[in-house]
Amino acid sequence: MYGEPKEEFLKMLNYTAPFMPKDKPRYLMGVGTPDYLIEAAIAGIDMCDCVLPTRIARNGTAMTWNGKVVVRNATYERDWNPLDKECDCYTCENYSRAYIRHLVKANEILGVRLLSIHNLRFLTKLMERVRIEIENDNLLNFKNEFYKKYGYTKE
């Protein structure tokens, strides 16, 4: 895990967010995990940035709608599925988990690039969905459904 424990993050987020100007964009630096992004949106944060999606890509990890996939693991050696069947990114439309695993294991830069493309698209789609759920006044329900599907056990 990166950064402070979630309980401490939420405590500081919920304490400081109300002090931020309501008539200007609210920015939170260094937040990149799906759960922290959702929590930030709930607290009224407009923008976040983080190196996490590309950093974990360099370690062979993809974020998916069903949790993390670590393509370095032997499980994916002959897995011809895309990283995420629910994803429309270039990586998922053109490459299998097995091939990306091969690239990462061989230290081919293309593997890291493909994982980075995927992770950035995943987070973009996640935040698009968060905006839709805000408009539909359904963000808390979405959060609970997403946490369960992604594999988060506790808030």
Side-chain angles (χ1 to χ4, degrees), residues 90-101:
Y90 175 81
T91 301
C92 290
E93 289 183 349
N94 293 286
Y95 298 93
S96 69
R97 292 174 175 183
Y99 184 64
I100 296 167
R101 179 183 187 277

Side-chain angles (χ1 to χ4, degrees), residues 112-134:
V112 172
R113 288 182 179 177
L114 292 172
L115 287 168
S116 293
I117 289 167
H118 168 77
N119 285 344
L120 293 170
R121 180 65 176 150
F122 171 80
L123 290 178
T124 299
K125 291 295 282 187
L126 174 66
M127 296 315 293
E128 287 173 0
R129 181 73 186 274
V130 165
R131 284 192 296 277
I132 289 168
E133 298 302 340
I134 289 170

Side-chain angles (χ1 to χ4, degrees), residues 53 56-63 68-72 115 118-119:
I56 67 172
R58 289 191 300 272
N59 294 316
T61 303
M63 298 177 194
K68 290 181 186 173
V69 170
V70 182
V71 295
R72 286 186 164 279
L115 287 168
H118 168 77
N119 285 344

